Amino acid sequence: MEKNFFLKVVNVKKYFPVSKSFLIKSQKYVKAVDNISFSIRRGGTLGIVGESGSGKTTLARVILRLIEPTSGSVYFDNKNIFDLDKHELRKLRPKMQMIFQDPMASLNPRKKVKQILTQVFKLHTSLSNEEIYDRVLDLLEKVGLSPPELFLDRYPHELSGGQRQRVCIARAIALNPKLLIADEPVSALDVSVRGQIINLLLNIYRERGEDMIYIIISHDIALIKSMCKDTLVMYSGRMVEFGETDSIIKSPLHPYTRMLISAVPIPDPEIARTKKRIPISGEPPSLINPPPGCHFHPRCPYVMERCKVEVPQYFQVEDRLVSCFLYAQY
Amino acid sequence: MKNEKIKKNFLLKSGYLQFPIKKIILTQMNSRIFAGLIIISIITIMAITAPFITWHPPLKTLVGKPFTIPNNHYLFGTDDLGRDIYSNVIYGIRTSLIVGLSSVSIAVIIGTLIGVLAGYYRGIIEDFLMRITDMTLILPQFLLALVIVAIFGQNFQNIILAIGVVSWPGIARMVRAEFLSIKERPFIEAAKAIGLSDMKIIFSEILPNAMPAVIPYIILQINAAILIEAGLGFLGIADPNVPSLGLMLNTAQQYLMNAWWMAVFPGLMLSIIVIGLNLLGDGLVEYLNPRLRKR
Amino acid sequence: MKLIEISNLIVYYNTSQGLVKAVDNVSLEISRGEALAIVGESGSGKTTLALSIPRLLPDNARILGGSIWLYPEKVDLTKLSEKELRRIRGRRIGVVFQDPMTYLNPVMKVGDQIAESIVYHQNCSLKEAKEKVLELLKKLKIPDAENVASRYPHQLSGGMKQRVMISIAISCNPELLIADEPTTALDVTVQAEVLELLRNLIQELKIALILVTHDLGIVAETCDKVAIMYAGKIVELADVYNLYRDPKHPYTVGLLDAVPTIKESESKISIIGGSIPDLINPPSGCRFHPRCPYMFEKCRQEEPPLVNFDKNRYVACWLME
Amino acid sequence: MSSLIPFIIKKLLQYIPMIFAVIIITFILVHMAPGDPTFILVGEVGDEEFIKTARARLGLDKPLHERFIIYLSNVLKGDLGYSYLRSEPVAKLIVDRIPATLLLVLTAMFFSALIGIMIGTIAAARKGVLDISLSTLSLFGISIPYFWLGQIILIVFAVRLGIFPLGGMVTVGRSYQGIDYVLDVIYHLVLPVMTLAIFNLAYTTKITRGSVLEALTQDYIVTARSKGLPESRVIFRHALRNALIPVVTYIGFNTGVLLVGAILTETVFAWPGMGSLLYDSIRLRDYPVILGIFIYGSIIIIIANLIVDLLYGLLDPRIRVR
């Protein structure tokens, strides 16, 4: 692998056909991911934020080719992932890993922790059983499950929520991935346990961050603020804003981003009760029949005639990309 | 620190197909499962030891006077041809169990294959297989089996084959449904993400998780097979060279007015087998349904 | 003016693994028009505590001690018969549940679901009730109320369903509204809308609110008083401003810091170690002691009482002595 | 309800191919069977001349696909062949017998569904001894095979007690008219309906109980209770209404079982329906009739499933509106 590797996502689309019946194949699609492009360098951290149905999880799956894309390309390790055949893809798998939302559901309930972890090494390395054993113990220790011997023979249901997510993280980092995507890594966990897992992820990043790309997917922009340098905001399958996290939170450009940030509750009654609220109206659009033009226009306080018919392209505002006609003059 | 014993234990490869039998028996033994297991065990023992617990060959005529009322020697009496009903009932259990097990084995093989194919691969394969399955599922199993045996000839193998051939659609549907739901669970995606092959995913990740839901259904299907065999026998479709509870009831039908024992004992035994299997199957269904278990 | 007084309430669940001590000796008060938040993580007993007021607990729950007084007549809700309680549920106490998708009957039109309790509690005909439903939906600023009322739940969006839930709860002008994680199943922007609606309603109708949640963010915006629960006990009870400005109990401190915020200041995430205790065999002494950074010997042996140490402020911690 | 018509059409489109499937299966079976398919399609007995004309009529000398077309068009025209033994067209033989079978099936279905849903709901709502005893009873009801139960009922009520007739549909040798005829039929109907209904009653009870129990654990039940509704309304309006959906599916799915049950029961009570016809035809090796009964039986079941599917759409708004 090259030293300055990167992940480049180009015009990625994922349309799910809406099947009506087995005779008539309908032409309707759910455009879960609609023409998304971005790139990150080695050492980069990207947060993808969006509400349910915004397509953020689908995007992650498409990037890893866990589901087949409709079109576009993803370059990673100087290869277009979408061009690889099954065999090549499987060989690349250990380099790109994912942590899933619900740790209980993402562990096979009939396998013990040791089976789950050794499987990874058996698939991709030629280590002996003894070596694997040592690696598994190290791994468990690294994710904070100590003493590791205690956890080897447990089934997922015998672990607490936080411990399960640690096992998932161990599985994902077992073979030192270059790309790690975490999909809502803490939202299924209890509040007091969330901090532990966020810190574990941050530690892993601090330790090997310069050598990998980190993507965090969440509906919680606060979580992304604490973990990611850059942020991509998604709405109804499209990217609406992309830029540095801090500046997005400080001065959101897209009306949707503004609404989103204003809606985040602040755990401080004095600020919460005095802050100026942006009026919020409507709900995210239906995925099957999204509104024409800019998908956000029915909820947008600044809506113009143009927004109802044309899909806004990306405008560069300083170092940010935003998809809104308010910035057309830039 | 590294305990040798743990290490050894770790290196022992453990099997994938683990049905929590031990757990069911030891911890949360459901009273239905327990009752069902007891009945089925007794029945099975009787079937296996048939030659030792009977004293007349089952199909031999005139071992006693025709229409003997049950007594010490002919426990269940004799029939119109002077055959010992007790022997015939015990050997009849054997027939029922053999028919149930072998025809359902056929059905399980066909059903699992079709269910796995349809559940794992989407698109045209699934559409085609499921349409066939749905159609066969609606058809009356019993009548189809009857037609098959009537046309191909009334012998024991044909009866087993016919029942097997009509019993698979339910199993296929069940397997597919389980596959579809398990396939959507994140741990399968996780398995893909670490690079597991399709075959490994099917056999080591999905199938072990699908089986617990399918097993009680298979037990109930054995029950259905036994009843189909008995029903066919009752209509006179049976191999005359094999003792059959259904066929005995067919004969009894003509003599209901005067030889009640000819109907009572074979039917009673049939009912007991069915009750046992129903208890076991229902108990397992209930045990495996977390929502019902809560109560 | 007092509305509900819970004293020394004990609620256990009977499970195959053993007794789950979900709510253990908890006392609490709520006045008319007051908004109280019960904050806790999963398994802290917050929902059990709130739903034991109208006794809407699962079959295996047992109220083993204590009482819940309803004022002004001062009746003990734990002692009432089912029949007497039914006259209070829906009429004087309304409940909004967590997931509007599963808590609405899928085969009944939403208008009928709202009308149902009006018919039962206000002795009016179905027709009159339906008119009242439309008024109610309009009051909640639901556009196209007639249309919404004739829909089935699956035809409505999540936010709309939650508004329907709210209108069921307030249909008979209750004195107390219990909202159990009312926005957890909703998106952030929809959550903000629904909370806004709840805030306006309780102010306008002078309803007392019990908001059960794990999210300290929405509490800050909505409630006057906060009770922090941990493992079946209240560990801190305070006025909302004081609590956020100066949390006393180590658990409250940890909880406030464990959540990343978008506040300007550099967010530093502190950690509460360990995991939520098993309520079948809860830890001895203070239930938080195995996770507490300031733990000392006494915490392990003796259970700290909930003591009043400041105006309207109660903390259960030996550090406060 | 504008969505109802496309829904019905969609369902019809789903079910019509099944009738073709039945015909295809029959055709394949007949031609896969060992020996000459003529025997199966015409019957074992017959003089040369008859067989010759029959072969020509069925196109048995033509290639397979042409034979299929001929077979298909014959069946669709209602021509299922000729029962040589009874010198009557098969279709007429069967159609004459269908009303008697339907009378038996529908009566049994009506009573068992009505009572079963009631008992099942009560068992689910009242836990404890009542529930356990009802569940145990229903287990026995499910497990006892129809035909044996029929025999026992016959021995007890007709042979020993003598309060009901031994079999048949009308008293032989009397020609009742009007109301007397109806009463006579009902008198003969009691025992076979009882036999058939016991199993179905037990099964409906079991399914309803399970379904209501499941519905009672659902979240919307808590909402209903939070409104202060009386328990009877919670159970019947909220739980049972939702629980009925799987129960109705079951009743539809069970039409096949019930029809087969009726066939076996008819044999016991000499009830002059399709069952007795089948029994006689098996004894006489009258293959055209056996095949005909299979086809007719399947069509009845397909129609019943179609009706239930439509009913399902009415009961569950989520299915209809998509």
Side-chain angles (χ1 to χ4, degrees):
Chain A
M1 186 165 273
E2 186 198 337
K3 269 205 171 144
N4 280 313
F5 62 90
F6 55 83
L7 174 76
K8 193 171 174 197
V9 174
V10 186
N11 296 335
V12 166
K13 289 180 186 169
K14 177 64 192 177
Y15 294 177
F16 294 103
V18 184
S19 63
K20 276 203 145 173
S21 87
F22 77 109
L23 284 175
I24 315 132
K25 285 273 181 266
S26 80
Q27 293 306 307
K28 275 195 173 167
Y29 291 97
V30 169
K31 300 185 177 179
V33 173
D34 199 1
N35 216 357
I36 298 233
S37 307
F38 64 86
S39 64
I40 338 170
R41 295 195 163 282
R42 172 184 140 152
T45 48
L46 174 72
I48 300 179
V49 70
E51 295 179 272
S52 61
S54 63
K56 53 189 193 304
T57 299
T58 310
L59 177 61
R61 289 173 173 173
V62 171
I63 291 174
L64 294 183
R65 221 174 125 192
L66 289 172
I67 49 178
E68 292 301 318
T70 304
S71 69
S73 34
V74 169
Y75 297 95
F76 174 64
D77 196 14
N78 282 327
K79 291 176 201 135
N80 184 350
I81 293 177
F82 292 177
D83 285 343
L84 300 181
D85 67 28
K86 263 191 166 175
H87 186 69
E88 293 168 310
L89 188 65
R90 223 176 280 149
K91 287 193 92 167
L92 193 65
R93 285 271 176 233
K95 295 280 156 254
M96 31 188 233
Q97 276 299 308
M98 184 151 170
I99 296 165
F100 297 89
Q101 171 168 7
D102 183 350
M104 182 68 205
S106 62
L107 295 173
N108 188 336
R110 303 198 165 271
K111 285 196 173 158
K112 293 177 179 173
V113 170
K114 64 179 184 194
Q115 287 171 304
I116 291 168
L117 294 179
T118 39
Q119 196 177 33
V120 184
F121 292 104
K122 287 208 169 134
L123 267 174
H124 296 290
T125 66
S126 48
L127 296 175
S128 72
N129 278 344
E130 278 79 10
E131 286 168 309
I132 293 179
Y133 180 66
D134 292 340
R135 296 280 288 271
V136 167
L137 288 189
D138 287 349
L139 207 52
L140 286 174
E141 196 107 45
K142 197 184 215 166
V143 296
L145 292 174
S146 63
E149 285 87 351
L150 208 61
F151 295 93
L152 288 176
D153 277 304
R154 300 248 182 114
Y155 283 102
H157 67 88
E158 295 167 325
L159 301 172
S160 74
Q163 290 168 342
R164 279 179 213 135
Q165 193 60 299
R166 287 171 197 270
V167 173
C168 292
I169 293 173
R171 174 172 62 187
I173 62 168
L175 294 170
N176 298 330
K178 303 281 176 195
L179 170 64
L180 184 61
I181 302 186
D183 182 9
E184 303 270 14
V186 298
S187 65
L189 302 177
D190 279 310
V191 185
S192 68
V193 181
R194 281 183 196 178
Q196 302 168 12
I197 297 298
I198 294 173
N199 268 357
L200 174 62
L201 288 172
L202 283 173
N203 282 340
I204 290 167
Y205 178 66
R206 254 175 238 130
E207 206 175 291
R208 332 200 356 253
E210 283 314 302
D211 204 27
M212 66 194 283
I213 292 169
Y214 225 138
I215 297 182
I216 308 277
I217 293 168
S218 179
H219 66 281
D220 182 359
I221 199 161
L223 172 73
I224 284 182
K225 178 182 186 287
S226 67
M227 302 192 73
C228 304
K229 198 169 145 286
D230 293 319
T231 294
L232 186 159
V233 184
M234 283 186 80
Y235 185 76
S236 183
R238 294 181 186 158
M239 178 173 114
V240 295
E241 193 163 349
F242 180 67
E244 256 186 51
T245 311
D246 285 339
S247 63
I248 284 186
I249 289 177
K250 204 174 286 165
S251 58
L253 293 178
H254 196 283
Y256 171 67
T257 320
R258 284 186 201 171
M259 187 186 274
L260 184 69
I261 287 169
S262 155
V264 175
I266 297 171
D268 184 334
E270 275 151 67
I271 302 176
R273 287 167 202 223
T274 52
K275 78 169 177 191
K276 219 179 90 210
R277 275 170 207 289
I278 293 175
I280 291 170
S281 64
E283 296 197 27
S286 124
L287 291 168
I288 301 173
N289 289 310
C294 171
H295 285 174
F296 188 62
H297 85 255
R299 302 172 76 185
C300 183
Y302 312 104
V303 60
M304 300 177 279
E305 271 315 304
R306 200 176 168 189
C307 307
K308 295 179 187 168
V309 280
E310 262 180 84
V311 179
Q313 64 271 47
Y314 294 111
F315 301 102
Q316 178 100 32
V317 183
E318 288 157 23
D319 59 340
R320 254 187 281 172
L321 285 178
V322 56
S323 158
C324 178
F325 286 122
L326 287 176
Y327 304 94
Q329 69 272 28
Y330 283 86
Chain B
M1 185 179 110
K2 279 162 199 164
N3 188 327
E4 279 307 307
K5 201 178 153 201
I6 296 176
K7 194 161 177 174
K8 208 173 150 194
N9 184 20
F10 175 86
L11 294 172
L12 283 173
K13 200 167 182 287
S14 51
Y16 288 124
L17 254 171
Q18 299 158 323
F19 190 68
I21 286 175
K22 211 167 122 195
K23 198 172 140 208
I24 294 175
I25 294 175
L26 292 179
T27 55
Q28 296 188 4
M29 182 63 127
N30 168 319
S31 56
R32 284 176 190 233
I33 301 179
F34 188 67
L37 275 179
I38 287 182
I39 294 178
I40 297 304
S41 317
I42 293 174
I43 296 276
T44 314
I45 291 168
M46 283 166 81
I48 293 171
T49 59
F52 307 105
I53 55 173
T54 58
W55 43 93
H56 293 295
L59 292 167
K60 196 174 173 213
T61 53
L62 288 174
V63 297
K65 249 171 75 185
F67 302 116
T68 311
I69 205 161
N71 59 36
N72 281 340
H73 189 67
Y74 303 104
L75 293 180
F76 295 169
T78 63
D79 68 2
D80 55 330
L81 299 176
R83 289 175 292 198
D84 180 27
I85 293 180
Y86 171 70
S87 297
N88 271 290
V89 166
I90 301 292
Y91 279 91
I93 300 174
R94 231 187 208 192
T95 310
S96 289
L97 293 184
I98 291 172
V99 169
L101 287 174
S102 34
S103 61
V104 169
S105 308
I106 297 172
V108 166
I109 292 169
I110 306 177
T112 312
L113 203 69
I114 291 186
V116 166
L117 285 176
Y120 195 77
Y121 297 102
R122 304 305 301 267
I124 295 172
I125 302 179
E126 187 197 11
D127 271 3
F128 177 73
L129 290 176
M130 281 341 277
R131 232 131 265 283
I132 292 183
T133 309
D134 282 349
M135 283 177 189
T136 359
L137 195 62
I138 283 190
L139 296 183
Q141 284 187 348
F142 181 81
L143 286 182
L144 189 53
L146 184 145
V147 168
I148 295 175
V149 181
I151 290 179
F152 286 82
Q154 296 181 15
N155 61 53
F156 198 50
Q157 288 88 332
N158 279 355
I159 291 173
I160 290 174
L161 279 173
I163 298 175
V165 162
V166 301
S167 304
W168 64 266
I171 295 170
R173 250 202 107 85
M174 190 95 193
V175 171
R176 169 178 167 268
E178 283 298 307
F179 254 66
L180 285 185
S181 82
I182 294 170
K183 209 177 68 174
E184 294 308 314
R185 280 164 60 184
F187 73 86
I188 297 304
E189 197 158 41
K192 261 191 216 166
I194 65 164
L196 236 57
S197 64
D198 280 3
M199 280 296 130
K200 270 233 161 102
I201 289 179
I202 292 178
F203 289 105
S204 90
E205 302 282 324
I206 305 184
L207 210 54
N209 282 290
M211 283 333 268
V214 180
I215 284 171
Y217 186 78
I218 291 176
I219 289 172
L220 295 176
Q221 200 63 49
I222 294 178
N223 213 349
I226 289 174
L227 279 173
I228 292 178
E229 190 273 337
L232 290 176
F234 177 69
L235 289 180
I237 297 197
D239 191 330
N241 304 316
V242 177
S244 153
L245 297 173
L247 194 58
M248 293 171 79
L249 292 175
N250 172 283
T251 323
Q253 177 68 25
Q254 294 160 276
Y255 307 106
L256 283 184
M257 306 272 284
N258 23 46
W260 54 267
W261 56 92
M262 282 176 66
V264 167
F265 295 106
L268 199 61
M269 195 51 81
L270 187 58
S271 304
I272 291 172
I273 300 176
V274 178
I275 287 173
L277 285 169
N278 268 336
L279 279 169
L280 187 59
D282 283 357
L284 282 174
V285 170
E286 198 169 299
Y287 171 78
L288 293 163
N289 181 343
R291 215 180 239 143
L292 286 178
R293 206 181 344 157
K294 256 194 279 176
R295 306 260 311 209
Chain C
M1 215 172 31
K2 252 196 270 186
L3 178 64
I4 297 274
E5 184 187 346
I6 298 173
S7 66
N8 304 324
L9 188 71
I10 298 174
V11 187
Y12 288 178
Y13 288 98
N14 207 345
T15 69
S16 53
Q17 276 87 38
L19 273 187
V20 175
K21 304 174 179 71
V23 171
D24 215 350
N25 213 356
V26 165
S27 302
L28 199 62
E29 252 180 54
I30 179 160
S31 316
R32 279 173 193 278
E34 187 179 49
L36 167 79
I38 302 179
V39 179
E41 299 177 83
S42 63
S44 62
K46 57 185 191 305
T47 299
T48 306
L49 175 60
L51 293 187
S52 56
I53 298 171
R55 262 171 40 204
L56 287 171
L57 297 170
D59 287 345
N60 59 345
R62 299 275 174 278
I63 297 181
L64 292 177
S67 38
I68 301 170
W69 303 103
L70 176 69
Y71 289 85
E73 57 272 58
K74 201 172 184 210
V75 287
D76 185 351
L77 295 180
T78 63
K79 305 278 185 316
L80 286 186
S81 72
E82 269 293 314
K83 203 175 158 209
E84 291 164 314
L85 201 62
R86 261 182 231 135
R87 298 168 52 79
I88 291 171
R89 284 182 199 149
R91 171 146 64 185
R92 297 181 60 187
I93 301 175
V95 188
V96 176
F97 294 95
Q98 174 170 5
D99 185 352
M101 184 70 231
T102 60
Y103 277 94
L104 288 174
N105 188 335
V107 301
M108 230 172 139
K109 288 178 179 160
V110 297
D112 297 343
Q113 298 193 45
I114 306 170
E116 214 176 21
S117 56
I118 301 180
V119 170
Y120 268 86
H121 292 298
Q122 302 187 353
N123 264 337
C124 61
S125 71
L126 189 63
K127 212 174 147 224
E128 287 167 316
K130 283 190 172 169
E131 275 164 32
K132 286 187 181 172
V133 169
L134 292 184
E135 279 171 40
L136 192 62
L137 291 177
K138 279 174 191 150
K139 193 156 89 189
L140 298 190
K141 301 203 183 64
I142 290 176
D144 203 6
E146 286 86 352
N147 185 11
V148 170
S150 66
R151 295 277 176 136
Y152 290 98
H154 72 277
Q155 296 169 305
L156 301 175
S157 68
M160 197 58 85
K161 274 187 285 232
Q162 196 54 297
R163 265 172 270 217
V164 169
M165 263 319 313
I166 292 172
S167 51
I168 290 175
I170 62 158
S171 60
C172 300
N173 293 317
E175 294 148 62
L176 173 66
L177 184 65
I178 297 173
D180 181 13
E181 304 258 13
T183 57
T184 309
L186 304 176
D187 276 324
V188 191
T189 55
V190 182
Q191 160 174 300
E193 271 185 284
V194 169
L195 285 176
E196 177 95 36
L197 174 73
L198 264 182
R199 275 195 295 271
N200 293 342
L201 272 178
I202 56 171
Q203 254 158 37
E204 199 179 308
L205 304 172
K206 303 268 179 299
I207 304 178
L209 172 73
I210 293 181
L211 179 71
V212 177
T213 182
H214 66 273
D215 186 342
L216 280 162
I218 69 175
V219 171
E221 292 182 349
T222 314
C223 298
D224 311 318
K225 225 164 85 177
V226 187
I228 307 278
M229 279 192 84
Y230 183 79
K233 302 264 183 195
I234 290 182
V235 294
E236 185 160 2
L237 178 66
D239 168 58
V240 68
Y241 290 97
N242 288 328
L243 185 99
Y244 284 79
R245 197 185 304 128
D246 179 24
K248 294 286 183 204
H249 195 283
Y251 176 65
T252 316
V253 177
L255 210 53
L256 276 170
D257 289 344
V259 192
T261 70
I262 54 168
K263 273 191 292 187
E264 297 290 316
S265 60
E266 182 62 35
S267 51
K268 179 179 116 275
I269 295 164
S270 83
I271 301 186
I272 310 176
S275 49
I276 309 227
D278 160 21
L279 286 183
I280 295 172
N281 299 304
S284 60
C286 171
R287 289 187 179 179
F288 187 60
H289 86 255
R291 304 175 76 184
C292 183
Y294 313 105
M295 192 264 289
F296 51 99
E297 202 43 43
K298 194 172 184 185
C299 308
R300 206 186 305 226
Q301 281 142 17
E302 275 177 72
E303 191 186 316
L306 190 66
V307 290
N308 186 346
F309 99 92
D310 200 354
K311 188 168 107 337
N312 284 332
R313 182 124 204 209
Y314 299 80
V315 182
C317 180
W318 290 124
L319 283 177
M320 295 297 119
E321 269 196 325
Chain D
M1 290 280 157
S2 59
S3 55
L4 211 56
I5 289 162
F7 176 73
I8 293 174
I9 292 172
K10 204 177 116 195
K11 286 290 155 202
L12 279 175
L13 284 177
Q14 272 175 16
Y15 278 96
I16 288 174
M18 295 204 177
I19 294 179
F20 283 94
V22 172
I23 299 170
I24 294 171
I25 289 173
T26 329
F27 181 81
I28 293 174
L29 283 178
V30 166
H31 287 83
M32 265 171 58
D36 190 338
T38 321
F39 283 135
I40 294 162
L41 290 172
V42 184
E44 281 179 351
V45 220
D47 55 65
E48 297 237 331
E49 193 56 30
F50 177 79
I51 289 177
K52 221 171 172 183
T53 47
R55 280 185 74 91
R57 190 173 55 92
L58 295 166
L60 286 176
D61 36 10
K62 298 207 173 84
L64 209 60
H65 63 275
E66 276 181 52
R67 264 193 248 168
F68 177 67
I69 304 288
I70 294 171
Y71 183 75
L72 184 67
S73 69
N74 281 345
V75 174
L76 289 182
K77 274 185 285 182
D79 177 3
L80 291 168
Y82 197 81
S83 169
Y84 187 78
L85 293 166
R86 292 170 225 247
S87 30
E88 260 186 291
V90 171
K92 184 175 179 302
L93 271 175
I94 295 173
V95 170
D96 284 350
R97 302 292 192 106
I98 286 179
T101 298
L102 283 186
L103 176 66
L104 188 58
V105 170
L106 293 179
T107 318
M109 204 164 168
F110 175 76
F111 284 110
S112 54
L114 209 67
I115 304 171
I117 289 173
M118 234 163 58
I119 299 181
T121 312
I122 292 169
R126 294 257 182 97
K127 281 155 277 175
V129 185
L130 185 69
D131 181 23
I132 292 171
S133 38
L134 284 174
S135 301
T136 314
L137 274 181
S138 84
L139 174 80
F140 285 119
I142 293 160
S143 303
I144 299 169
Y146 288 113
F147 40 97
W148 183 61
L149 182 65
Q151 291 181 329
I152 297 301
I153 285 178
L154 197 66
I155 292 175
V156 174
F157 290 93
V159 179
R160 298 273 145 167
L161 300 175
I163 45 176
F164 283 104
L166 279 167
M169 189 165 157
V170 287
T171 312
V172 186
R174 303 269 179 92
S175 45
Y176 289 115
Q177 294 295 316
I179 189 80
D180 288 332
Y181 175 76
V182 175
L183 287 176
D184 192 38
V185 171
I186 290 175
Y187 179 56
H188 284 81
L189 193 60
V190 173
L191 290 188
V193 162
M194 196 158 106
T195 309
L196 205 48
I198 283 179
F199 169 86
N200 208 41
L201 174 68
Y203 218 116
T204 317
T205 305
K206 178 185 149 171
I207 301 277
T208 311
R209 175 182 172 270
S211 189
V212 171
L213 270 184
E214 177 120 7
L216 281 173
T217 65
Q218 299 291 325
D219 292 338
Y220 52 77
I221 297 299
V222 185
T223 310
R225 294 206 172 116
S226 82
K227 295 177 192 169
L229 302 179
E231 198 59 18
S232 61
R233 190 172 167 91
V234 173
I235 285 168
F236 287 101
R237 186 78 177 84
H238 289 269
L240 183 59
R241 177 68 209 286
N242 279 280
L244 270 184
I245 295 166
V247 172
V248 164
T249 325
Y250 151 72
I251 290 176
F253 187 70
N254 199 41
T255 344
V257 181
L258 210 57
L259 191 75
V260 170
I263 283 172
L264 294 168
T265 309
E266 284 174 7
T267 311
V268 177
F269 292 96
W271 184 261
M274 282 161 70
S276 304
L277 180 65
L278 181 68
Y279 185 65
D280 296 340
S281 308
I282 289 170
R283 276 195 317 180
L284 301 170
R285 311 248 174 272
D286 198 345
Y287 293 111
V289 180
I290 298 177
L291 287 179
I293 288 176
F294 171 65
I295 292 173
Y296 269 85
S298 304
I299 291 174
I300 291 176
I301 289 163
I302 289 168
I303 292 171
N305 273 280
L306 173 66
I307 293 171
V308 165
D309 235 9
L310 295 176
L311 214 62
Y312 197 84
L314 283 179
L315 275 176
D316 191 345
R318 286 163 298 184
I319 301 283
R320 208 185 327 137
V321 193
R322 268 281 164 86

